[in-house]
Amino acid sequence: MSHAFAYALVGAGLFLLGLYALVAYAHLLRKILALNIMGSGVFLVLVALAKRTGDAEPDPVPHAMVITGIVVAVSATALALALMLKVSGKTGQAVLPGRHQD
Amino acid sequence: MTLTDYATACLLILGGIFFLAGTVGLLRFPDVYTRLHALTKADNVGLGFIMAGLVLQAESWLAAGKLLLIWLLVLFASASVSYLIARRALNKGIRIWM
Amino acid sequence: MEAILANADWGVIVILLPLTGGIVCFLWPAVSKTAGLITVAAVVLAVAGLGRQIMEHGAYRHTVGGWGAPLGIDLFADGLSLFMLIMTALVGLGISCYAKSYFNPRDAVWFWPVWLFLLAALNALFLAADIFNLYVTLELTGLAAVTLTALTGRIDALSSAMRYLLAMLAGSLAYLLGVALLYHDSGSVDIATLAQRIEPNATVWAALGLMSAGLALKTALFPLSFWLPPAHASAPAPVSALLSALVVKASFYILLRLWLELFADFAEGVSTLLGLLGAAAILWGSLQALRQTRIKLLVAYSTVAQIGYLFLVYPLASASSGLAAGIAAYLAFSHALAKSAMFLAAGNLMRFGGHDRIADLDRAVQRLPLTVSAFALAGVSIMGLPPSGGFTGKWLLLDAAMSQGRWDLAAVMIIGGLLAAGYIFKVLGYAFMQAKEPHDARAVPAGMEWAALLLAVGSILLGLMASEIFALIHPDLVANAGGAVERVWTA
Amino acid sequence: MDVIVVLEWAFDAVLGLGLLWLAWRTLNSPDLFKAIVLFISFGLLMALAWVRLNAPDIALAEAAIGAGLTGALLLAALARLRTTTDNTMPAQLPAGSWFQRGLLIVLLSGSAAGLGYAVWILPSHTSGLSMAVTANLDVSGARNPVTAVLLNFRGYDTMLEMIVLLLAVLGIWSLGGLPPRPERPAVAVLDTFSRFLIPVFILAAAYLLWVGADAPGGAFQAGSVLGAAGVLLLLSGWRPGVRLMQWPLRLALTIGAITFIILGVLTLLYEQQLLAYPVAQAGRMIILLESLATVSIAVTLAILFLGESPDPEEKK
């Protein structure tokens, strides 16, 4: 059952990696990728720990939650990409104004 | 282990070797066209061996049919997609390695 | 008829009504304005129905699907949730009346369905008793709020909406990771079940940290408030009002609820930290507001400061948590009324002059008296002067701070009040003066002026009706607060 | 048996490290196109991880939505981005100073330790809600526990979920839609490919929808496969007609949510509880909900990819 914990730790790692990139890089597309990886990390924690049921079937409730989460993630990604394109269409650059170094 | 199991193991290992060869080709070959060639040719055969190995273990004809269908779909998709990639590469003006 | 009204399941109706309204607006854009206004008015009535049920029969609980927690999802409303629902319905109605005249036909087609979905999301959020369901409602709220922010399509609106969306999503994911840890620690996402099972251990602490950080980011608690001023300042006026009055309160409510039910007993250190950040927010937000040269940014920074007051509740809560939550809810309500009035007034001033530069307000007092009165009345509540709701709330908070010997927090509150007076009189002062380059006044629809004024009057009325309202939120508040309020009024 | 255990551990280790490595490469490879391709392969590895964790429903959803559609959305956005921006800006441009990033790394390392410990001390054996799900599975109307949770036990979440999808479309449309993608000339092979594949997609979607009640699959998986068929159609140059883009499209986008609301009102009237299906009807209601939700999900995903506003005046 320690497989479950190993995957959960990978999930936590993905969350933090994504968080680092979200803050540390200015390009909006990269920030959107970072959020998606953070999301995958959270989902991995949810599902990996649901496997702590011995030989029985894993707990299905987190599975349903993650399917919900994946749909939220794709909706949010689509909206974020659209906003990014609008911002870059007006400024010529896919970064937020003012909060990055040149 | 029965004879079928041994046959499956052999086929799976053979398939794995083809996949390995395809991947080495993908990494080592010099340009996009040769890489595509390595990838599609070797991997399609590799997948064929793996499917053959799994068919031997299939519980019903229906399951075997599904496996065969998967192989055919992958063949079809990889053929079309590698054509599209190669075409795009040609249009972009990537020269063929000689 | 009477029986139907008494037995109808108002809690569910409060969620389904705006959902249906939003879909109708989406399917028939031509009727969206009418359908939107009718829906919002109907929601106010449904909330009233729910309020009557709760007053008569106590807390409301609905087991969705008939399963019951922890397997199913429960809806739950006590005085606190009811209070937030009333806030949303009334302020939402005021802003809707304003929005009716504000938007051009192109924007109105998008505003109404998204606003109705936002309303449904907020109502669902205040009724949720399940931390995963809260995540879904939070995401709904966030996506709707971002869409509304970007509505004008101007570059400042677009980039602040982008920043807003990134912050929202990061906050939600941190919250969701906390939910994951809590579920795997205690085997439930139902708040009541969790409350019985929860034991302080490292997992729960990590969940607490993640959820609090995510929600603090969404509530724009200093220093996580970087996204708020540009978003609230660049959105269309009714949207700024919705964001400042209602949307930030949603995540604050979740934090408060989690704190009350789950974490209050063992996390005193964290509540000290939240209080310190709240104090910092008051000082920093007020100083920034004072420095601004544009009304909308000034009002937005004022929101950062006023959110700080809400967080002062945490360090003062340890002794009597229910009471403190009541004070926080009351403060949130009075801020919602005052701040929505301010943003709407700012929208009127922009419509009137075509800009929102404070220095060029150009005799707005004479030419737009209702709007300036609305701004001034709302200002009374923001500064915390009697007899406004802001006064009563802040007085109770001050009283709690002094009785617990927290002179530092009391001092911050008083300085915050003085700074607020500074930035509000700055606007009012220029409104009396003639600008260097006088400009013509453009017409402002009467409905827009009256909507702002009525909300501002509401923020004053809230103070006058304090004891009735406290009876609604928390029984103990009447005893404690009644005394405090009377002491002030007789003095 | 020991060999198998070692192999399993080796596989899991390679997969876990591969996920972390791909995530890292996605987030800091200098070329954005490469980053997106790496992200798509990350999604495929995630699908493998879901299979390892006995979560076939999520594996299907991840492969179709997480890697497939999100990847398509990202690539389409990148193609549009390259027509609107100057590409001189380095894609790795850091935000903030070295000092700030150093501070961030210290902070996040601390969080990593704390988070790791918080996960590690969880009890090694717990069933969560699976007992409760199993006990009520017979009366839920679905034999696949994940479907039972999604459409019955927690059907209310799924109802709100349909609105989340709708809001994404509303958001993009209210922005005036996306600039058109740079068109590529039609390719005969792609046309043949799509013509052959789209019926297969529809068949697969119908299959996933049908087995969803008993086995892995369901509305979200079927919807995303169908949505992918739509994306393929759009890629091969097909565009919905102007009339189709008006109310039929709006109805298709909302039909899932509408069904949920109607069923919600009916159950509220007859059962006094929101979405409480009578046991005898539960199976039929779930199939009805899932079929119409599939339509909405598929159309939404394809429209998110298309990105154009239905309003002819908006196309500037």
Side-chain angles (χ1 to χ4, degrees):
Chain A
M1 284 317 97
S2 36
H3 296 253
F5 282 93
Y7 278 105
L9 289 179
V10 170
L14 290 176
F15 177 82
L16 292 169
L17 262 182
L19 186 54
Y20 172 77
L22 176 69
V23 181
Y25 291 117
H27 199 288
L28 289 173
L29 190 66
R30 208 174 287 282
K31 282 182 189 281
I32 294 170
L33 284 171
L35 278 168
N36 271 295
I37 285 185
M38 280 172 77
S40 296
V42 178
F43 301 155
L44 203 52
V45 172
L46 256 173
V47 171
L49 294 173
K51 206 173 173 259
R52 298 171 301 152
T53 46
D55 293 329
E57 284 290 301
D59 182 359
V61 174
H63 292 197
M65 289 174 179
V66 167
I67 290 179
T68 307
I70 288 176
V71 176
V72 171
V74 74
S75 311
T77 303
L79 184 59
L81 288 172
L83 267 175
M84 174 191 80
L85 289 171
K86 287 286 164 185
V87 169
S88 69
K90 297 245 172 171
T91 62
Q93 283 199 324
V95 291
L96 290 174
R99 282 181 54 83
H100 65 91
Q101 290 184 321
D102 287 302
Chain B
M1 277 170 78
T2 64
L3 196 61
T4 338
D5 288 347
Y6 279 112
T8 297
C10 286
L11 285 168
L12 288 186
I13 290 169
L14 209 57
I17 290 171
F18 270 91
F19 264 101
L20 195 67
T23 311
V24 170
L26 173 71
L27 293 174
R28 300 291 303 159
F29 278 179
D31 74 345
V32 59
Y33 309 101
T34 46
R35 286 177 181 186
L36 273 176
H37 160 88
L39 201 59
T40 45
K41 190 158 281 180
D43 284 6
N44 284 342
V45 177
L47 189 67
F49 277 119
I50 286 177
M51 288 306 173
L54 293 179
V55 162
L56 291 180
Q57 301 286 325
E59 284 164 5
S60 65
W61 284 104
L62 190 67
K66 271 190 208 166
L67 286 169
L68 189 69
L69 194 66
I70 291 172
W71 186 51
L72 287 176
L73 273 174
V74 172
L75 276 187
F76 184 69
S78 64
S80 311
V81 169
S82 56
Y83 167 80
L84 289 173
I85 293 176
R87 185 191 146 92
R88 179 104 177 88
L90 267 181
N91 282 348
K92 268 182 101 175
I94 295 175
R95 299 273 298 277
I96 298 173
W97 174 81
M98 302 274 223
Chain C
M1 189 66 195
E2 181 69 13
I4 296 176
L5 284 180
N7 295 326
D9 207 317
W10 293 114
V12 177
I13 294 172
V14 158
I15 299 169
L16 288 184
L17 255 180
L19 277 188
T20 315
I23 290 176
V24 168
C25 289
F26 179 69
L27 287 177
W28 289 283
V31 302
S32 58
K33 197 191 281 184
T34 326
L37 272 174
I38 292 175
T39 309
V40 177
V43 168
V44 173
L45 295 179
V47 169
L50 179 68
R52 203 183 120 178
Q53 275 175 351
I54 291 180
M55 305 280 255
E56 283 174 11
H57 308 293
Y60 164 89
R61 187 174 280 277
H62 181 98
T63 52
V64 179
W67 301 105
L71 177 62
I73 300 172
D74 280 6
L75 301 178
F76 173 77
D78 55 6
L80 183 61
S81 359
L82 176 63
F83 194 61
M84 304 308 276
L85 287 169
I86 296 176
M87 171 185 93
T88 308
L90 289 182
V91 176
L93 183 65
I95 296 173
S96 299
C97 292
Y98 183 92
K100 177 178 72 81
S101 326
Y102 181 89
F103 283 110
N104 62 36
R106 187 263 169 204
D107 290 346
V109 163
W110 303 116
F111 171 79
W112 287 102
V114 180
W115 152 228
L116 290 179
F117 288 140
L118 176 64
L119 180 59
L122 290 169
N123 287 346
L125 188 148
F126 294 131
L127 279 162
D130 175 299
I131 53 177
F132 184 77
N133 185 240
L134 277 171
Y135 163 75
V136 180
T137 58
L138 263 178
E139 288 287 25
L140 260 180
T141 311
L143 290 185
V146 168
T147 302
L148 290 176
T149 307
L151 207 55
T152 59
R154 286 203 318 267
I155 173 60
D156 54 337
L158 288 171
S159 53
S160 49
M162 183 80 230
R163 180 172 299 150
Y164 186 20
L165 178 60
L166 294 173
M168 285 305 97
L169 294 175
S172 309
L173 285 173
Y175 173 82
L176 184 62
L177 186 54
V179 171
L181 292 179
L182 270 191
Y183 176 78
H184 287 301
D185 181 72
S186 308
S188 175
V189 279
D190 174 61
I191 293 179
T193 317
L194 280 173
Q196 290 163 9
R197 298 184 186 170
I198 209 162
E199 309 242 330
N201 60 31
T203 315
V204 170
W205 272 103
L208 161 70
L210 285 163
M211 293 166 104
S212 306
L215 292 170
L217 175 61
K218 279 169 166 282
T219 315
L221 172 62
F222 179 83
L224 299 174
S225 52
F226 56 89
W227 57 267
L228 185 143
H232 288 199
S234 63
V239 175
S240 307
L242 286 174
L243 297 179
S244 253
L246 304 178
V247 174
V248 289
K249 306 296 174 2
S251 44
F252 177 76
Y253 165 81
I254 300 179
L255 196 54
L256 192 64
R257 181 62 84 182
L258 291 178
W259 204 266
L260 281 181
E261 315 266 341
L262 301 180
F263 302 129
D265 291 338
F266 59 87
E268 220 162 284
V270 184
S271 54
T272 312
L273 176 68
L274 288 177
L276 278 179
L277 293 178
I282 295 176
L283 296 177
W284 189 80
S286 304
L287 282 172
Q288 288 293 323
L290 211 49
R291 285 184 47 206
Q292 299 307 314
T293 55
R294 287 171 180 271
I295 299 178
K296 286 194 79 179
L297 265 174
L298 181 148
V299 182
Y301 274 106
S302 157
T303 299
V304 174
Q306 300 297 316
I307 286 168
Y309 281 97
L310 301 180
F311 280 89
L312 289 189
V313 162
Y314 290 93
L316 301 174
S318 48
S320 50
S321 51
L323 195 72
I327 300 176
Y330 181 81
L331 261 176
F333 198 161
S334 75
H335 175 248
L337 284 167
K339 197 46 68 73
S340 55
M342 270 192 169
F343 266 121
L344 298 186
N348 288 343
L349 290 172
M350 274 180 95
R351 182 64 66 91
F352 148 84
H355 66 82
D356 72 337
R357 289 186 303 277
I358 297 170
D360 297 332
L361 278 177
D362 199 19
R363 290 171 296 133
V365 171
Q366 292 147 41
R367 300 196 276 180
L368 218 54
L370 289 180
T371 293
V372 177
S373 319
F375 195 90
L377 280 179
V380 166
S381 188
I382 295 288
M383 289 184 272
L385 295 181
S388 67
F391 164 72
T392 313
K394 281 166 195 166
W395 175 265
L396 286 170
L397 211 55
L398 201 62
D399 196 44
M402 299 218 264
S403 67
Q404 293 184 28
R406 293 300 303 265
W407 300 103
D408 50 340
L409 295 183
V412 169
M413 284 184 235
I414 291 169
I415 296 174
L418 290 175
L419 289 172
Y423 60 71
I424 283 166
F425 282 120
K426 177 176 165 186
V427 176
L428 290 178
Y430 279 109
F432 277 97
M433 282 194 272
Q434 186 155 13
K436 281 190 199 109
E437 293 158 28
H439 57 70
D440 292 333
R442 276 175 252 176
V444 176
M448 282 165 59
E449 289 213 79
W450 280 105
L453 187 63
L454 283 177
L455 285 167
V457 169
S459 76
I460 303 290
L461 279 180
L462 197 68
L464 296 174
M465 292 165 42
S467 39
E468 286 86 350
I469 289 164
F470 287 139
L472 193 70
I473 318 176
H474 196 280
D476 296 347
L477 260 181
V478 188
N480 293 37
V485 173
E486 271 159 30
R487 224 180 306 150
V488 178
W489 285 350
T490 49
Chain D
M1 273 326 277
D2 285 338
V3 181
I4 299 292
V5 172
V6 171
L7 274 179
E8 280 193 346
W9 263 109
F11 185 81
D12 287 336
V14 169
L15 190 54
L17 292 176
L19 279 171
L20 285 170
W21 184 76
L22 273 179
W24 177 242
R25 295 286 302 140
T26 300
L27 295 175
N28 78 354
S29 79
D31 180 11
L32 281 173
F33 176 75
K34 204 178 260 178
I36 294 175
V37 173
L38 285 165
F39 177 75
I40 295 172
S41 9
F42 171 83
L44 293 174
L45 278 203
M46 280 298 288
L48 267 186
W50 299 132
V51 172
R52 283 292 297 151
L53 292 165
N54 296 25
D57 289 274
I58 307 178
L60 285 170
E62 174 85 43
I65 303 184
L69 266 162
T70 308
L73 284 174
L74 287 164
L75 285 173
L78 185 66
R80 283 170 166 134
L81 196 61
R82 290 196 166 151
T83 61
T84 55
T85 48
D86 56 9
N87 288 308
T88 52
M89 191 187 67
Q92 269 178 307
L93 185 72
S97 63
W98 277 106
F99 173 73
Q100 285 167 326
R101 262 173 296 149
L103 196 69
L104 183 66
I105 290 178
V106 172
L107 252 168
L108 289 182
S109 313
S111 317
L115 203 54
Y117 181 68
V119 168
W120 198 252
I121 61 151
L122 278 168
S124 67
H125 198 97
T126 163
S127 65
L129 286 171
S130 48
M131 310 262 265
V133 172
T134 316
N136 290 294
L137 202 55
D138 286 342
V139 289
S140 71
R143 264 173 294 168
N144 173 11
V146 178
T147 304
V149 175
L150 269 176
L151 284 138
N152 199 336
F153 304 138
R154 299 187 68 91
Y156 171 61
D157 276 344
T158 310
M159 174 170 103
L160 296 180
E161 195 65 27
M162 301 307 297
I163 306 291
V164 171
L165 279 165
L166 189 57
L167 263 177
V169 175
L170 265 169
I172 292 175
W173 283 0
S174 76
L175 289 169
L178 300 181
R181 261 174 313 119
E183 289 289 336
R184 308 231 181 279
V187 188
V189 168
L190 183 60
D191 277 354
T192 324
F193 180 64
S194 328
R195 213 169 296 154
F196 170 74
L197 219 50
I198 281 163
V200 178
F201 270 75
I202 294 172
L203 202 66
Y207 174 74
L208 279 172
L209 177 64
W210 184 249
V211 299
D214 304 323
F220 287 110
Q221 292 86 350
S224 46
V225 169
L226 216 50
V231 170
L232 201 60
L233 264 178
L234 293 171
L235 274 178
S236 59
W238 179 82
R239 290 289 177 278
V242 178
R243 241 189 245 162
L244 212 55
M245 284 293 274
Q246 296 307 313
W247 71 264
L249 174 62
R250 288 176 185 249
L251 187 65
L253 287 168
T254 48
I255 189 75
I258 292 176
T259 317
F260 263 105
I261 292 176
I262 291 176
L263 270 188
V265 171
L266 288 177
T267 47
L268 197 61
L269 285 178
Y270 290 102
E271 303 284 317
Q272 280 73 50
Q273 258 137 356
L274 184 67
L275 298 173
Y277 323 127
V279 176
Q281 309 291 328
R284 249 168 286 170
M285 289 197 168
I286 286 180
I287 283 289
L288 177 74
L289 274 177
E290 285 209 290
S291 321
L292 294 172
T294 302
V295 173
S296 283
I297 293 167
V299 176
T300 307
L301 293 175
I303 286 297
L304 291 180
F305 179 79
L306 178 65
E308 283 169 25
S309 163
D311 194 351
E313 286 166 31
E314 297 276 358
K315 285 173 192 159
K316 295 153 203 165

